Amino acid sequence: MRTVLTGISVASGIFIFIVLLGFSSGVQNGVKAQFAGDATNKISVRTRVTTKQYKGLNPNRRIQLKNEDFENISNIYGDYLEYKSGGYSNWGAQLVYKKQSGNFSVRGVHPDFQFIENAIISEGRFVNQGDIEDSRKVIVVSNKAKTELFKGKNPIGEMVSIYGINFKVVGVYADPGGEREESQVYIPISSAQIAFNGADNLRDMSFTVAMSDDFDEAVELSKNLIASIDNDIKTKYTIAPNDRAAVRIDNTLEKAQKIYSLSNIIEAVFWFVGIGTIIAGIVSVGNIMIIIVKERTKEIGIRKALGAEPLSIIFMILQESIFVTMFSGLFGLIMGLGLLEFIGPTIENEFIKYPQVDFNTALITVFILVAAGTLAGFIPAYRAAKIKPIVALRDE
């Protein structure tokens, strides 16, 4: 009965450990999914209205980014930037193809935006530099737009209308961020500015920081870039240095660092709790072995009196310790993996996705558990081997 209870303790320990390890992996997958729709090292620049009086200028001035702002930043900080794109968007525009229509955000962008947004071209191509130079009326639609408007038909070469202006479909893209991210279609930024009377105005600017092998170093570089870009824009448009509302710069790299750090803490907590449960199981194995040795003291004395070697006594005790930890560990492993396999696909949460455990890692964990269980059983086994036969036979 004691052996059964010990086995349950070991099995539950490895079961809890595997489940916690799986959910730790699920949290990390959820974190990665948060950044799947965009580059992790992205800097976004937007401007709004000023909120502070500065150098004789009243607040509530609308700050409007221009093409030259994008060109200046691209030239000045080009050595530290990987991809660059200005943006001019028309939110909620209606795309019309023959009798089909749908509402999509139309974004005028530069060619690099494909990589900033992590857009995967499934058919055709993305916007190129020639499209921008010639202000071509071409458009890259999403898989969502393809499904809604073209009903399975190949859209490449077809014409769609936006506010009565015809654009030729040159590409179809998919976004790892899912359907929400695919509610956008892309056209050359020069064409967007002409079609939507944008002159040389920009709604936003997007950049990615050139990554280095040192993640913390890249984060520090992005912070310095943000500070410099913020200062340049505020200086040009005479904005108070402490007016945070007028110029908004988002840094996904810094956000990623914070969230990854949090996920690492969660993973460490899960490991701590899981290992704690396993240690509890190992301790119970050691305790039950001590009790077993105590109950079998006379048997051990008789065996030794009949000439049994100390190693055979040790092996006899260890057999039971190894069997309990191996059988219970494998049982807990199978139950844990089975539970993750069963409930994993049913979890629909943006913070936890596909909780799973690498089988090799789990198996190695079980073997470590068996080794620890063997060590826990060795101490009472060694003591049993040292018992003198005459003392063992007198034991009550």
Side-chain angles (χ1 to χ4, degrees), residues 22-38:
F23 274 88
S24 171
S25 170
V27 170
Q28 290 184 325
N29 292 336
V31 168
K32 292 176 182 178
Q34 296 296 311
F35 295 95
D38 300 299

Side-chain angles (χ1 to χ4, degrees), residues 181-356:
E181 298 289 338
E182 292 184 2
S183 61
Q184 304 178 99
V185 294
Y186 302 116
I187 63 177
I189 189 166
S190 55
S191 304
Q193 290 171 327
I194 293 171
F196 307 134
N197 298 316
D200 63 341
N201 296 333
L202 295 177
R203 306 277 195 205
D204 57 71
M205 298 183 292
S206 300
F207 307 95
T208 58
V209 180
M211 291 295 288
S212 64
D213 294 334
D214 189 325
F215 186 78
D216 292 333
E217 183 180 307
V219 172
E220 193 62 31
L221 172 61
S222 70
K223 289 180 180 179
N224 293 334
L225 281 173
I226 287 172
S228 296
I229 292 171
D230 182 75
N231 179 69
D232 291 348
I233 295 174
K234 287 180 176 177
T235 300
K236 177 181 177 181
Y237 292 101
T238 318
I239 303 170
N242 61 344
D243 190 344
R244 296 185 178 181
V247 180
R248 176 68 182 269
I249 304 180
D250 292 323
N251 179 8
T252 58
L253 195 61
E254 190 174 0
K255 291 179 181 177
Q257 184 189 43
K258 291 177 180 177
I259 295 177
Y260 279 125
S261 297
L262 179 60
S263 71
N264 289 337
I265 292 173
I266 293 173
E267 181 183 18
V269 171
F270 283 176
W271 272 90
F272 179 78
V273 174
I275 291 174
T277 59
I278 291 176
I279 290 174
I282 293 171
V283 170
S284 68
V285 170
N287 289 337
I288 197 66
M289 289 300 105
I290 291 173
I291 294 172
I292 288 174
V293 168
K294 182 67 176 176
E295 291 178 343
R296 298 175 66 177
T297 300
K298 282 190 176 181
E299 177 190 343
I300 292 169
I302 293 172
R303 287 176 178 272
K304 294 198 71 174
L306 294 175
E309 295 290 332
L311 282 178
S312 67
I313 301 297
I314 292 174
F315 183 71
M316 178 185 70
I317 303 299
L318 286 182
Q319 268 186 318
E320 189 164 350
S321 175
I322 293 171
F323 175 79
V324 169
T325 52
M326 175 68 81
F327 179 81
S328 303
L330 288 175
F331 181 78
L333 170 65
I334 293 170
M335 291 296 292
L337 293 176
L339 179 65
L340 291 175
E341 190 70 24
F342 178 73
I343 69 170
T346 66
I347 296 176
E348 297 182 2
N349 189 293
E350 59 180 332
F351 299 109
I352 302 176
K353 291 183 180 293
Y354 319 118
Q356 56 188 345

Side-chain angles (χ1 to χ4, degrees), residues 29-49:
N29 292 336
V31 168
K32 292 176 182 178
Q34 296 296 311
F35 295 95
D38 300 299
T40 310
N41 53 337
K42 178 182 176 182
I43 294 176
S44 300
V45 183
R46 293 179 175 83
T47 54
R48 295 181 174 84
V49 297

Side-chain angles (χ1 to χ4, degrees), residues 43 73-74 77-84 207-210 225:
I43 294 176
I73 291 173
S74 299
Y77 305 106
D79 292 340
Y80 307 104
L81 301 173
E82 185 179 16
Y83 299 116
K84 306 171 281 289
F207 307 95
T208 58
V209 180
L225 281 173

